[in-house]
Amino acid sequence: MMTFVRRSMILHIPHSSDFIPPGMRKQFLLSETELSTELNLLTDKFTDELFAFEGGTFVRFPISRLIVDVERFESDADEAMSNVGMGVIYTRTTDGKQLKHPMSRRQKNDLIDRYYIPHHQKLLSEVKQELAMNGYAVIVDCHSFPNQPLPCDTDQSEPRPHFCIGTDSFHTPTALVDLAMDCLKKTGYTVKINEPYSGTLVPMEHFKKETMIISIMIEINRSLYMDEETGEKNDQFYLIQAQIENLLREIARYEV
Ligand SMILES: [Zn+2]
């Protein structure tokens, strides 16, 4: 049977890497154990494999969010998480301790120029290419989250769902949310919308302006596919990967 798969799905994977570039380790005030704990809590480990959809376009950030978080707004003034030291450049650990040596404005701007801006340019150029080619672009913002809330999380409610779908009132059509929700519920999962995490990424140039840019965030509870203590895949991993592939296939079929 022939299955139509849209070429134009862009998979944005901002948090899968735990790589700290050599030379940047010295920014941190943490011991090796403390750093590895933070990386364990904050890395959306294996999301690059889980969301590896054939035919999709990947925009994956290759270094850890502990250096620069490309999912945040560039300016702290726009970014609510900067209130807990987790804006574009983190200054605090998940439990509120000082994470790094104090940085000058210039040091921060250097990091933004080196990592944040090129990443967003890449995403924007993929989006523009899709728009030019097909008249629309679909972005799937791919994440995972810990089963227990982190101290820095705004939403502390438990139990957490198996999946969280993040939406934007302008860029996420209700029909697409329903489709994703139905697909996950059919597989037997609990799903919440914008809880415990909300929103979905859209390039700033088009944010709230271009209706033909569709974006949806899919967040998966890490306890489904890995051992959160050891950081290893569990024996459900490949089953979950297949279920996500099925979900992405459904999203790819969505008629814009
Ligand atoms: Zn994430």
Side-chain angles (χ1 to χ4, degrees):
M1 196 175 79
M2 288 282 287
T3 317
F4 170 70
V5 175
R6 168 186 287 151
R7 261 288 289 117
S8 69
M9 195 157 59
I10 296 169
L11 297 131
H12 182 240
I13 303 175
H15 295 153
S16 69
S17 174
D18 60 3
F19 178 61
I20 305 286
M24 296 205 173
R25 172 66 180 91
K26 61 179 187 295
Q27 292 178 5
F28 295 91
L29 289 165
L30 309 181
S31 69
E32 283 307 311
T33 315
E34 289 166 331
L35 181 59
S36 105
T37 303
E38 280 302 295
L39 284 168
N40 215 12
L41 293 172
L42 287 169
T43 306
D44 296 352
K45 214 170 167 189
F46 307 124
T47 45
D48 50 342
E49 287 182 59
L50 287 172
F51 291 88
F53 187 67
E54 208 188 321
T57 300
F58 292 87
V59 181
R60 175 183 179 258
F61 191 53
I63 66 165
S64 170
R65 68 195 289 184
L66 288 182
I67 301 295
V68 171
D69 191 344
V70 292
E71 190 78 10
R72 305 296 196 227
F73 286 109
E74 187 180 335
S75 162
D76 278 354
D78 301 321
E79 179 53 63
M81 285 304 283
S82 69
N83 296 329
V84 291
M86 297 176 103
V88 63
I89 293 171
Y90 292 6
T91 57
R92 300 266 163 197
T93 61
T94 47
D95 57 356
K97 295 198 192 79
Q98 203 182 332
L99 177 69
K100 294 173 186 166
H101 294 285
M103 256 184 229
S104 65
R105 168 60 41 202
R106 181 163 171 196
Q107 284 172 309
K108 287 182 184 173
N109 286 342
D110 283 348
L111 283 174
I112 289 171
D113 289 346
R114 187 160 167 194
Y115 295 113
Y116 186 96
I117 291 176
H119 178 83
H120 281 270
Q121 277 170 346
K122 187 175 175 212
L123 178 65
L124 182 63
S125 99
E126 295 294 353
V127 166
K128 280 184 190 288
Q129 220 170 300
E130 298 294 341
L131 276 178
M133 224 158 52
N134 304 315
Y136 58 80
V138 177
I139 302 168
V140 182
D141 200 12
C142 312
H143 297 259
S144 68
F145 60 91
N147 192 38
Q148 304 277 317
L150 299 171
C152 58
D153 284 334
T154 318
D155 188 338
Q156 291 288 321
S157 36
E158 288 186 81
R160 292 186 144 192
H162 293 127
F163 281 84
C164 158
I165 296 175
T167 68
D168 176 80
S169 56
F170 190 91
H171 293 280
T172 319
T174 314
L176 179 62
V177 178
D178 291 347
L179 180 151
M181 189 111 170
D182 287 352
C183 176
L184 290 168
K185 284 192 167 168
K186 252 186 247 163
T187 324
Y189 291 123
T190 54
V191 188
K192 284 193 169 172
I193 298 173
N194 293 319
E195 290 174 46
Y197 301 100
S198 63
T200 184
L201 196 99
V202 173
M204 280 314 278
E205 187 177 311
H206 297 294
F207 189 50
K208 309 277 189 200
K209 289 178 199 144
E210 175 55 78
T211 50
M212 294 312 274
I213 297 177
I214 306 293
S215 182
I216 186 168
M217 178 169 78
I218 306 291
E219 293 242 15
I220 171 168
N221 188 316
R222 289 178 202 151
S223 66
L224 286 177
Y225 69 87
M226 66 182 273
D227 180 324
E228 293 186 77
E229 292 285 316
T230 63
E232 303 290 327
K233 292 172 185 171
N234 66 20
D235 55 8
Q236 299 295 299
F237 186 87
Y238 295 100
L239 171 69
I240 304 290
Q241 189 183 43
Q243 289 167 341
I244 290 182
E245 190 186 352
N246 187 45
L247 169 68
L248 293 175
R249 199 176 297 120
E250 291 290 319
I251 292 173
R253 285 201 187 112
Y254 173 76
E255 302 272 337
V256 176

PDB file of all heavy atoms in Angstrom, residues 15 44 65 143-144, ligand 1:
ATOM      1  N   HIS A  15      16.636  20.063  22.645  1.00  0.00           N
ATOM      2  CA  HIS A  15      17.166  19.696  23.971  1.00  0.00           C
ATOM      3  C   HIS A  15      17.728  18.284  24.063  1.00  0.00           C
ATOM      4  O   HIS A  15      17.888  17.767  25.162  1.00  0.00           O
ATOM      5  CB  HIS A  15      16.049  19.843  25.029  1.00  0.00           C
ATOM      6  CG  HIS A  15      15.581  21.251  25.226  1.00  0.00           C
ATOM      7  ND1 HIS A  15      14.309  21.561  25.661  1.00  0.00           N
ATOM      8  CD2 HIS A  15      16.223  22.435  25.073  1.00  0.00           C
ATOM      9  CE1 HIS A  15      14.180  22.877  25.753  1.00  0.00           C
ATOM     10  NE2 HIS A  15      15.320  23.443  25.397  1.00  0.00           N
ATOM     11  N   ASP A  44      16.562  16.358  27.113  1.00  0.00           N
ATOM     12  CA  ASP A  44      15.464  15.544  26.569  1.00  0.00           C
ATOM     13  C   ASP A  44      16.118  14.376  25.839  1.00  0.00           C
ATOM     14  O   ASP A  44      16.106  14.281  24.596  1.00  0.00           O
ATOM     15  CB  ASP A  44      14.600  16.352  25.592  1.00  0.00           C
ATOM     16  CG  ASP A  44      13.884  17.521  26.265  1.00  0.00           C
ATOM     17  OD1 ASP A  44      13.921  17.631  27.513  1.00  0.00           O
ATOM     18  OD2 ASP A  44      13.279  18.328  25.526  1.00  0.00           O
ATOM     19  N   ARG A  65      21.494  22.534  26.397  1.00  0.00           N
ATOM     20  CA  ARG A  65      20.750  23.748  26.767  1.00  0.00           C
ATOM     21  C   ARG A  65      21.371  24.460  27.965  1.00  0.00           C
ATOM     22  O   ARG A  65      21.041  25.605  28.241  1.00  0.00           O
ATOM     23  CB  ARG A  65      19.293  23.374  27.064  1.00  0.00           C
ATOM     24  CG  ARG A  65      19.143  22.545  28.317  1.00  0.00           C
ATOM     25  CD  ARG A  65      17.803  21.870  28.458  1.00  0.00           C
ATOM     26  NE  ARG A  65      16.709  22.785  28.759  1.00  0.00           N
ATOM     27  CZ  ARG A  65      15.453  22.389  29.003  1.00  0.00           C
ATOM     28  NH1 ARG A  65      15.148  21.091  28.997  1.00  0.00           N
ATOM     29  NH2 ARG A  65      14.506  23.258  29.259  1.00  0.00           N
ATOM     30  N   HIS A 143      10.035  17.330  22.324  1.00  0.00           N
ATOM     31  CA  HIS A 143      10.621  17.384  23.678  1.00  0.00           C
ATOM     32  C   HIS A 143      10.250  16.154  24.500  1.00  0.00           C
ATOM     33  O   HIS A 143       9.356  15.402  24.143  1.00  0.00           O
ATOM     34  CB  HIS A 143      10.059  18.584  24.447  1.00  0.00           C
ATOM     35  CG  HIS A 143      10.395  19.906  23.854  1.00  0.00           C
ATOM     36  ND1 HIS A 143      11.397  20.709  24.340  1.00  0.00           N
ATOM     37  CD2 HIS A 143       9.853  20.565  22.811  1.00  0.00           C
ATOM     38  CE1 HIS A 143      11.451  21.819  23.612  1.00  0.00           C
ATOM     39  NE2 HIS A 143      10.529  21.756  22.681  1.00  0.00           N
ATOM     40  N   SER A 144      10.931  16.051  25.670  1.00  0.00           N
ATOM     41  CA  SER A 144      10.480  15.098  26.689  1.00  0.00           C
ATOM     42  C   SER A 144      10.592  15.779  28.050  1.00  0.00           C
ATOM     43  O   SER A 144      11.256  16.810  28.184  1.00  0.00           O
ATOM     44  CB  SER A 144      11.304  13.814  26.641  1.00  0.00           C
ATOM     45  OG  SER A 144      12.626  14.042  27.058  1.00  0.00           O
TER      46      SER A 144
HETATM   47 ZN    ZN B   1      12.667  20.247  25.961  1.00  0.00          ZN
END
